[in-house]
Amino acid sequence: STSTHIRTGRKGALGPRRKLCVRRKLCVAMPVRLRLQRFGRLHKPFYHIVAADVKAPRDGRFLEKLGTYDPIPDRSGNKHLRVDVKRVEHWLMYGAEPSEPVAKLLARAHVLPPPPRRGLNVPEGERGVEGRGK
């Protein structure tokens, strides 16, 4: 007989976990991340915003497609971003972490507050060699 250990609600080394049940018998907890999947061709990127397992490859298996992002501006200079806000809020409520690019895009769509900018609030004495100007 095999037994399964289920971890729910705990934050481990891989981030928050979501309980995935297959056939109502086998339940597995897995960390979920909202990230970009790259499509398009060379020098013409196009991205899908997806909820995916942390261990899945970048363009590999995903749980749900949540939107699209086209970083190439059209003739009027607009970059197109489409997001299913209800589904994104659902995944965030269950503990999914957005990657940095997705967090910036969700801030543009007014789903999340803007992420803090890096390196702006570091006191002068604590900056390392890389923080000094040349």
Side-chain angles (χ1 to χ4, degrees), residues 1-7 19-20 24-29:
S1 112
T2 60
S3 64
T4 358
H5 297 284
I6 302 171
R7 292 174 55 187
K19 196 175 182 182
L20 177 69
R24 296 184 187 197
K25 290 183 180 180
L26 175 66
C27 292
V28 180

Side-chain angles (χ1 to χ4, degrees), residues 17-60:
R17 298 184 173 271
R18 178 180 179 270
K19 196 175 182 182
L20 177 69
C21 295
V22 181
R23 295 187 192 132
R24 296 184 187 197
K25 290 183 180 180
L26 175 66
C27 292
V28 180
M30 65 180 191
V32 176
R33 174 154 290 152
L34 304 182
R35 63 181 180 206
L36 297 174
Q37 266 189 341
R38 191 182 195 280
F39 287 89
R41 59 188 180 117
L42 191 65
H43 304 297
K44 301 276 187 183
F46 183 82
Y47 297 96
H48 289 186
I49 301 170
V50 297
D53 182 12
V54 170
K55 294 182 180 180
R58 181 193 71 178
D59 297 335

Side-chain angles (χ1 to χ4, degrees), residues 101-134:
V102 171
K104 289 178 185 178
L105 292 174
L106 293 178
R108 276 194 211 169
H110 304 292
V111 176
L112 290 178
R117 295 181 64 188
R118 290 183 173 186
L120 293 180
N121 296 330
V122 180
E124 187 65 35
E126 294 181 16
R127 286 190 190 164
V129 176
E130 58 273 355
R132 296 183 188 151
K134 293 184 178 179

Side-chain angles (χ1 to χ4, degrees), residues 62-80:
F62 62 92
L63 301 170
E64 184 178 359
K65 181 179 166 186
L66 304 172
T68 59
Y69 172 59
D70 186 2
I72 307 293
D74 59 6
R75 291 181 185 214
S76 59
N78 297 323
K79 297 179 180 181
H80 294 279

